[in-house]
Amino acid sequence: MGKEQIVVALNNEPESSPSKYLGAEIAIGTLTLDKIAELKSILQNGLLFEEMGGLWGETFKGSVYLTELMDVNDEYHKNGLIFYESLYDNCSDINLYSTENWAFVPEDNEDMLPNPEFKPPVKIQTKSSEFIVLSIRTEDLYFKAKGELNPENKMVFDETNIAKFKIQTGIDEFHSIMSSFGFSGFNLLHTVYANGVELERDEDDIEEAFNIYYSSHLIFSEGKLIAWLATNNHSHHFPFDYYESKIPCISPYLMEMDPETYQLAINNLLENL
C-alpha cells in the first residue's frame, strides 16, 4: 500500500489584522555593547528613521537598524501563524488547502482527563540579562505543512468515528511575557506533527507570503522594559493594537503625530542605555 498525502493548513485574521492570514517572525537576543553604542549614536544624531522606497514607487520612513535587530536572535528565532488564545476557535482554512485525513489531538480524553498525547503551548521567557531585545515582525503567513505517511497509522480517536492521522501542535505562548509589560499576549503556531512525525512547512507560496508589515522591538534591561521601538508609519495592528503600557512607541507614526512625546521617549531611552 502506498503512502498517503497529508496537508495541514490554517490561517488567522485577528481583529485589526492587515491580512486574512497573519503570521509573525519573532527573535529574542542579547544586545552587544557595539549594538548599544550604535543605537546611542543614531538616536543622538536623529538617524533612527530615514526615507525609503517601496516596491510600487512609494516612499515611507524606515529603519535599517531596527530591521537588523531581527538578526539578534541568540535566544529565540521562529516564524509561524499568530493568534490570540485558541487555535481551534481563532483559526480556519479559508482556502481549503487541508486534506480531510487528520484531526487535532484533543486536550482531554474521553474521560475528560488530560490527554498525555496533547502538546501544551510552551511558555516563552527571557533570561535575566543586561540588555535583551524581543523583536516581532508581522507578515502574511498561511500556515501549511505537508507530508506522506503510511495510511496504516491512521486510527479512530475523535467523534467522527473515522480513522485519521493524529495531529499534535508546536505552539509557543507569549501571553506571560507580553502581558507582564502591559501588552496583549498571543500564541505562535510554528510546527505540526502527524503521529509524532514533524510535517514539512511550506513557506514558498509567494502569493500568500508577499507582504511584510512593521516590526516592533521591546528592549529590556535586567528584566525591566526600557524601550518600545517600531517601524510603523500608521497606527498599530494586532498584537500591538491594544496595550496598557505607559511607555510611548518610538516610531515614524509617533514622530509625525506627536513630536514632543517622541523626543521625550528618545531622551528617556538614551538615559537608560
Side-chain angles (χ1 to χ4, degrees):
M1 182 181 295
K3 291 191 174 182
E4 187 172 328
Q5 185 183 42
I6 178 173
V7 178
V8 178
L10 292 166
N11 74 290
N12 183 40
E13 185 181 3
E15 187 175 348
S16 87
S17 172
S19 171
K20 292 180 183 290
Y21 20 84
L22 187 65
E25 178 183 359
I26 301 177
I28 302 175
T30 305
L31 284 176
T32 63
L33 293 177
D34 286 345
K35 206 68 178 170
I36 293 169
E38 182 184 358
L39 179 57
K40 283 183 179 180
S41 176
I42 60 177
L43 290 174
Q44 289 166 342
N45 291 285
L47 300 176
L48 180 60
F49 300 110
E50 58 186 286
E51 202 76 20
M52 293 184 171
L55 293 173
W56 314 113
E58 78 280 13
T59 60
F60 63 97
K61 292 288 186 181
S63 173
V64 173
Y65 181 87
L66 294 183
T67 298
E68 292 176 348
L69 280 187
M70 296 302 304
D71 297 327
V72 180
N73 53 31
D74 51 284
E75 275 199 46
Y76 182 95
H77 189 203
K78 290 180 184 177
N79 80 328
L81 188 71
I82 192 171
F83 61 99
Y84 182 58
E85 278 193 335
S86 171
L87 181 69
Y88 317 108
D89 295 336
N90 296 159
C91 302
S92 59
D93 178 16
I94 57 171
N95 290 344
L96 303 178
Y97 293 124
S98 296
T99 52
E100 298 181 353
N101 55 356
W102 60 269
F104 289 116
V105 170
E107 187 171 353
D108 302 318
N109 61 24
E110 62 274 8
D111 298 319
M112 301 304 292
L113 296 173
N115 187 347
E117 293 184 296
F118 177 76
K119 285 182 176 290
V122 175
K123 183 183 294 187
I124 300 301
Q125 298 176 316
T126 63
K127 63 185 180 183
S128 179
S129 180
E130 188 170 357
F131 289 104
I132 293 287
V133 59
L134 164 62
S135 300
I136 301 169
R137 180 166 62 195
T138 49
E139 59 190 9
D140 288 346
L141 190 146
Y142 204 117
F143 184 92
K144 293 182 227 173
K146 58 188 178 181
E148 292 187 347
L149 301 174
N150 189 334
E152 294 178 356
N153 292 329
K154 292 196 292 186
M155 61 185 65
V156 174
F157 66 96
D158 66 6
E159 66 280 357
T160 65
N161 290 319
I162 298 173
K164 299 176 182 179
F165 294 113
K166 287 184 175 182
I167 296 296
Q168 296 171 308
T169 54
I171 296 174
D172 289 342
E173 183 254 287
F174 288 84
H175 283 279
S176 300
I177 187 174
M178 296 293 285
S179 62
S180 62
F181 295 102
F183 296 96
S184 176
F186 61 88
N187 291 321
L188 187 80
L189 171 70
H190 53 81
T191 312
V192 292
Y193 308 86
N195 293 84
V197 177
E198 183 177 337
L199 298 182
E200 181 180 356
R201 285 276 304 277
D202 181 357
E203 301 181 61
D204 298 326
D205 195 322
I206 296 176
E207 181 180 352
E208 291 165 345
F210 186 71
N211 290 313
I212 294 177
Y213 302 102
Y214 70 88
S215 61
S216 285
H217 310 268
L218 304 178
I219 298 179
F220 308 92
S221 177
E222 297 180 348
K224 177 186 176 183
L225 179 65
I226 63 168
W228 173 20
L229 304 99
T231 61
N232 59 306
N233 284 252
H234 304 284
S235 57
H236 294 293
H237 61 243
F238 183 84
F240 288 99
D241 56 322
Y242 173 80
Y243 58 93
E244 295 179 344
S245 173
K246 294 181 180 180
I247 190 167
C249 179
I250 297 171
S251 65
Y253 182 74
L254 183 66
M255 183 169 58
E256 179 180 351
M257 302 300 292
D258 192 343
E260 184 177 349
T261 299
Y262 175 85
Q263 191 56 52
L264 285 173
I266 293 287
N267 295 340
N268 185 65
L269 176 54
L270 285 169
E271 290 176 3
N272 283 286
L273 288 176

